[in-house]
Amino acid sequence: MARTNDDVAAVLEEYADLLAITGHEDFKIRVYQKAARSIGAYPDDIAGYDAAALRRIPNVGESIAAKVAEYLRSGTMAKLEELRGRIPAGVRALTHIPALGPKRAMVLHERLGVDSPASLESAIAAGALRGLPGFGPKTEENLLHGIALLRDSGQRVHLGVAMPLAEDIVAALEAVRGCRRCGYAGSLRRMKDTIGDIDVLATSDRPRVLMDAFVGLSQVTEVIVRGDKKTSLRTGQGLQVDLRVVPPDAWGAAVQYFTGSKAHNIRTREIAQHHKLKLSEYGLFDAVTEEKIVSRTEEEVYQRLGLPWIPPTLREDTGEIEAALAGALPDLVTEADVRGDLHTHTDLTDGHASLEDMVAAAAARGYAYYAVTDHGPNLYMQQMTLGKAVAQRERLRELDGAYGPRLLHGIELNIDPDGEVDWPPDVLAGFDVCVASVHSHFDLPRDRMTGRLVRAAKNPHVSIIGHPSARLIGRRPPIDADWDEVFRACARSGTALEINAFPDRLDLAAELIRRARPYGVKFAVDSDSHAVGHLANLRYGIGTAQRGWLTADDVINTWPLDRLTAFLRKNR
Ligand code: DGT
Ligand code: CA
Ligand code: CA
Ligand code: ZN
């Protein structure tokens, strides 16, 4: 997705937040939020657009177009600056605490002078909220939980933020004269679901030129440290980026070292010592003579340690060293194995693109099949009806094959607190694929939550449980269930668990995937796209699947269509 669009979307969201804090009408706030989402999802880069061009974007009216044009021209918006001047940044941070809306954040600011999550914590501890209307003891508990959640997510960002930024930086550095190789390492290369900082590695005989280019990047707002071996800086989003430059022949050793994880590296160093070798970011050396043995490629480094090359997504010291020594590393699923996407939306519900545009984009990705799964009627604000679904099905059948992929007509059902879904069996039977997801009642007691998911899995029409834990990274914790019980039910009933590739979900998470696999559970790696640009998020889901040690055979949307459709029918 285009950088400018994300940038503008963030600015409009901030503006909407500030409007909410200053007590503006809900409808006005929603207008900005909707525009933010539309611009974020708009497929073309809006850099350089004028107001007239901006107005062609859905949900962008005259006054927003003018503000955005001003921002694109000048890098700022007068109205936004005015509000920023009135509201301390910490108060806006308060609105990001789950369980605290903007209105109540403003009450806390005005009545108690609370101006950050930390000062709210102190105020609660001091009992300052007692007696404030609308803040009972239960609220205090929720707020403390919300603050903890916010802190856990810390300054870490999800892959959807870090990856495009890292790719832009790598591309910019590769273009610098004297740069021999450049790539990202660290948790990003391991495709961890959250990233603390971005580690970029380059080889060059002239490191200073690279460092100059690095600190001169447009994304940089602060240089933290600058040296010839390592330079660290901070971007506008507050994210730290480290660049390390090593001599050209040290690439393999350096990328192995800085990919980590720390725990994995401790093991590889131990193995080196065991062989009377010494492993560093500069190479693998003889421990006695200090003579360099290998350093050019990762493969050589691993090989001299008596190991096959280990995929970065496995490098967490959770069994990959033992598997490598035993010749039992999994043959991991890759993005190239994927033949289709089984959970996507259109503008019939909350998607931003038409059926035709989504299907054309799926075709451009070379998919053999593609499922459209708009929201079922029980997600009331989406206003789905059976009539609309059937009309969509007819249109989809007309388009089938016209663009390339076989089109599957699906629906994303809502699992109610008892495990029931939106429509009766005879209606569900009309769909090619039913995804069923939890979209409400996230706090049921464990027993009820488990029963709910098991019941949904046993439904003969439900083929995939969508984003099974319902977590939103940094915003909502996973639901609590007896997952082993759920996995058993899914394996027995032939229901796939989704690996939702949306970067703020990545759900199931890798740890649960790995725990589910031995039960014989199958998985669907889906983009849950709400816009054309989201289809490419699939790679984050594949990274997560790899971190869960999955092979292509474990993932139903790598299968040929006939095997897939047999699975989706669940022996009905
Ligand atoms: P993150 O940034 O918290 O998401 O996680 P990582 O794994 O990217 O960690 P980071 O950025 O601290 O370090 C990058 C890699 O460098 C790490 O995975 C392993 C390697 N490394 C090995 N030894 C050390 C060390 O002593 N200090 C640091 N900073 N990195 C080390
Ligand atoms: Ca890092
Ligand atoms: Ca780092
Ligand atoms: Zn959903």
Side-chain angles (χ1 to χ4, degrees):
M1 188 130 314
R3 220 21 5 80
T4 324
N5 302 26
D6 291 346
D7 214 38
V8 170
V11 161
L12 291 176
E13 263 165 36
E14 180 182 352
Y15 191 66
D17 278 1
L18 294 176
L19 286 178
I21 294 170
T22 46
H24 284 76
E25 306 88 335
D26 286 351
F27 81 87
K28 186 163 175 193
I29 296 157
R30 274 203 300 275
V31 166
Y32 281 91
Q33 289 169 335
K34 272 172 106 166
R37 280 198 296 273
S38 280
I39 290 176
Y42 196 64
D44 301 324
D45 192 328
I46 62 166
Y49 275 31
D50 62 10
L54 289 163
R55 288 212 56 185
R56 287 196 284 274
I57 301 171
N59 299 315
V60 176
E62 195 177 332
S63 109
I64 294 183
K67 288 194 181 72
V68 172
E70 177 195 352
Y71 180 80
L72 292 175
R73 250 190 347 263
S74 68
T76 185
M77 260 164 57
K79 280 272 203 296
L80 175 66
E81 294 303 333
E82 186 189 316
L83 286 176
R84 276 178 178 166
R86 279 166 56 195
I87 318 270
V91 176
R92 189 178 170 230
L94 282 180
T95 65
H96 295 297
I97 299 172
L100 187 68
K103 292 206 176 93
R104 299 205 307 163
M106 202 55 187
V107 170
L108 291 171
H109 178 55
E110 284 176 340
R111 300 279 295 266
L112 304 175
V114 166
D115 60 2
S116 67
S119 78
L120 174 56
E121 212 167 21
S122 319
I124 293 172
L129 270 65
R130 302 284 157 79
L132 211 58
F135 291 87
K138 181 74 188 162
T139 325
E140 288 187 4
E141 197 182 297
N142 288 341
L143 288 176
L144 287 174
H145 182 67
I147 295 169
L149 205 65
L150 200 65
R151 182 166 310 127
D152 282 350
S153 71
Q155 286 308 309
R156 298 183 74 83
V157 300
H158 59 64
L159 278 173
V161 173
M163 185 67 89
L165 180 63
E167 286 176 339
D168 285 354
I169 292 174
V170 167
L173 294 177
E174 276 174 337
V176 174
R177 271 184 49 170
C179 175
R180 305 277 281 272
R181 280 196 81 158
C182 186
Y184 56 80
S187 50
L188 190 59
R189 185 162 179 244
R190 305 197 312 279
M191 293 288 260
K192 241 185 106 147
D193 50 12
T194 65
I195 306 297
D197 68 8
I198 296 176
D199 300 282
V200 179
L201 189 67
T203 61
S204 175
D205 296 315
R206 300 159 63 204
R208 194 160 301 171
V209 183
L210 268 182
M211 294 307 184
D212 283 341
F214 185 55
V215 300
L217 291 172
S218 62
Q219 295 93 337
V220 178
T221 52
E222 182 196 343
V223 177
I224 301 166
V225 281
R226 166 158 192 168
D228 278 352
K229 290 197 172 103
K230 178 182 171 187
T231 293
S232 297
L233 47 80
R234 204 175 300 285
T235 69
Q237 292 146 310
L239 195 57
Q240 183 175 327
V241 186
D242 296 339
L243 172 64
R244 292 174 178 92
V245 182
V246 297
D249 68 358
W251 171 262
V255 79
Q256 196 285 326
Y257 183 90
F258 290 113
T259 295
S261 63
K262 220 168 228 173
H264 176 86
N265 286 359
I266 289 172
R267 295 294 306 277
T268 49
R269 276 203 294 269
E270 278 171 7
I271 293 172
Q273 279 164 12
H274 192 77
H275 291 269
K276 306 259 185 303
L277 301 169
K278 207 181 115 236
L279 183 59
S280 78
E281 64 267 50
Y282 296 104
L284 189 62
F285 300 86
D286 185 302
V288 181
T289 65
E290 304 211 328
E291 187 189 343
K292 191 200 284 184
I293 298 168
V294 287
S295 65
R296 284 178 183 279
T297 68
E298 274 195 328
E299 284 81 357
E300 289 175 325
V301 171
Y302 280 106
Q303 193 190 18
R304 283 293 281 120
L305 295 173
L307 297 168
W309 180 81
I310 300 177
T313 43
L314 299 185
R315 299 183 195 171
E316 300 291 347
D317 189 25
T318 53
E320 77 280 7
I321 301 279
E322 290 74 9
L325 287 169
L329 284 172
D331 185 7
L332 296 177
V333 60
T334 67
E335 206 178 353
D337 295 322
V338 172
R339 296 187 202 226
D341 200 329
L342 299 176
H343 179 177
T344 70
H345 298 268
T346 73
D347 58 7
L348 182 62
T349 57
D350 58 352
H352 296 271
S354 66
L355 176 65
E356 287 78 0
D357 286 351
M358 291 304 284
V359 171
R365 290 179 62 81
Y367 285 153
Y369 45 80
Y370 182 75
V372 174
T373 58
D374 272 311
H375 289 286
N378 291 357
L379 203 61
Y380 300 110
M381 68 264 199
Q382 303 303 337
Q383 305 186 334
M384 177 60 105
T385 62
L386 184 53
K388 286 190 196 176
V390 169
Q392 183 186 54
R393 183 178 305 156
E394 282 162 12
R395 181 76 194 116
L396 179 129
R397 299 290 185 230
E398 285 165 21
L399 292 175
D400 191 15
Y403 290 83
R406 286 301 311 271
L407 300 179
L408 305 177
H409 191 235
I411 189 85
E412 183 181 11
L413 300 165
N414 303 285
I415 306 176
D416 81 6
D418 298 319
E420 290 296 314
V421 295
D422 312 45
W423 275 315
D426 61 317
V427 172
L428 299 184
F431 289 95
D432 302 320
V433 49
C434 294
V435 177
S437 316
V438 167
H439 287 129
S440 67
H441 302 85
F442 304 107
D443 295 324
L444 295 184
R446 172 183 270 236
D447 277 2
R448 262 195 91 190
M449 193 66 88
T450 306
R452 175 190 197 183
L453 292 171
V454 166
R455 180 121 184 238
K458 284 182 174 164
N459 186 318
H461 296 282
V462 170
S463 305
I464 300 170
I465 304 288
H467 45 75
S469 84
R471 74 165 176 170
L472 292 172
I473 295 173
R475 285 184 288 147
R476 185 166 69 213
I479 55 176
D480 184 28
D482 179 343
W483 289 108
D484 296 282
E485 201 57 49
V486 175
F487 298 155
R488 221 170 275 129
C490 286
R492 204 173 290 152
S493 60
T495 313
L497 286 170
E498 182 174 75
I499 299 172
N500 189 295
F502 223 90
D504 66 353
R505 288 191 184 273
L506 293 178
D507 182 10
L508 275 186
E511 297 70 31
L512 285 176
I513 294 169
R514 209 166 157 198
R515 200 161 119 202
R517 186 174 181 260
Y519 289 95
V521 176
K522 297 297 178 193
F523 301 85
V525 182
D526 296 330
S527 71
D528 193 1
S529 287
H530 287 68
V532 165
H534 294 164
L535 289 171
N537 286 338
L538 203 88
R539 60 179 174 155
Y540 306 127
I542 291 295
T544 303
Q546 291 190 347
R547 290 178 62 85
W549 289 51
L550 296 189
T551 66
D553 189 61
D554 299 316
V555 177
I556 63 172
N557 51 317
T558 68
W559 296 354
L561 184 64
D562 52 354
R563 186 177 174 202
L564 173 71
T565 42
F567 180 91
L568 296 176
R569 276 199 298 273
K570 293 183 89 171
N571 305 318
R572 265 188 272 126

